[in-house]
Amino acid sequence: MFRSRAKDEKAQDADKAPVSFSKQPRDPQAPKGRPTPKRSQAQSQRRSVANTSMTRKEAAKRQREERRSALERQRQALASGDERYLPARDKGPVRRFARDFIDSRFNIAEFFLPMAVVILVLSMVRVAALQNIALLLWLVVIVLIVLDSFVTGFRLKKQLAERFAGENKRGAVAYALMRSLQMRRLRLPKPQVKRGERP
């Protein structure tokens, strides 16, 4: 009867509030484990977190450093063959076997660049006979590379089907043939097997 209107409204609001049914009800007398911080303490805590946050310049600098260290790890992995830090296109046992298969044999395609330089020099000489020889060499080299790539791809596909029956082999043959076009010492990841050594 003598209660204030504000207290009555608070009591009514409390009655209207939905009751939450949790699976593990907490005893109302049990402490929550920590004291409720005062407003001044909470505000000072928020300010300290805001002050310690990095500026845009510092964040960009940290990103650059992380990117640089990741690239350095990747470069070392390409030289050593460490699977953990290799790029996604080089990872996995299927890609590793494809690399080893190519690195363990001689490929005509890997000599394409030196032969192309020789043929280009011959074609620039103003002698009709040498220019004809250069043209013939172009044709021979291209035919040999196509035949060698076809045989290599067929053999590799067969080996992959035998060794990795349940795994995803998509793109492995094309990956290997692209590797065969590079000179052995310029290949990345570096060759891990010697010529003639079975992968």
Side-chain angles (χ1 to χ4, degrees), residues 19-167:
V19 179
S20 61
F21 297 99
S22 61
K23 290 181 183 175
Q24 295 178 345
R26 189 173 73 85
D27 182 16
Q29 301 299 322
K32 63 181 176 181
R34 62 180 172 79
T36 303
K38 291 182 181 177
R39 181 179 288 181
S40 59
Q41 288 176 339
Q43 285 177 345
S44 66
Q45 211 170 17
R46 280 200 298 269
R47 277 196 211 101
S48 67
V49 169
N51 290 338
T52 56
S53 65
M54 292 183 295
T55 63
R56 186 182 290 178
K57 196 173 182 181
E58 288 170 347
K61 186 179 178 183
R62 180 179 283 186
Q63 261 186 341
R64 278 198 305 273
E65 286 171 1
E66 286 173 0
R67 199 180 305 122
R68 195 178 294 122
S69 64
L71 285 171
E72 179 61 24
R73 281 199 307 268
Q74 195 176 90
R75 189 186 64 77
Q76 289 174 354
L78 287 169
S80 65
D82 188 356
E83 285 276 336
R84 291 173 299 169
Y85 304 115
L86 284 176
R89 69 183 175 90
D90 298 312
K91 278 186 178 177
V94 174
R95 296 295 170 107
R96 185 180 179 90
F97 179 80
R99 286 197 303 271
D100 292 346
F101 184 85
I102 292 297
D103 296 336
S104 65
R105 61 195 301 274
F106 280 97
N107 301 285
I108 296 169
E110 70 182 282
F111 302 109
F112 174 73
L113 280 177
M115 288 190 290
V117 170
V118 170
I119 292 166
L120 193 63
V121 169
L122 286 174
S123 64
M124 289 172 71
V125 176
R126 301 210 170 204
V127 178
L130 286 176
Q131 286 180 344
N132 289 336
I133 289 168
L135 185 64
L136 188 65
L137 277 172
W138 267 122
L139 291 171
V140 169
V141 165
I142 289 167
V143 168
L144 286 174
I145 287 171
V146 168
L147 286 172
D148 185 50
S149 298
F150 181 77
V151 171
T152 303
F154 180 77
R155 286 181 179 169
L156 178 59
K157 207 170 188 178
K158 191 178 176 183
Q159 292 267 348
L160 288 172
E162 288 174 6
R163 291 189 184 220
F164 306 98
E167 293 190 41

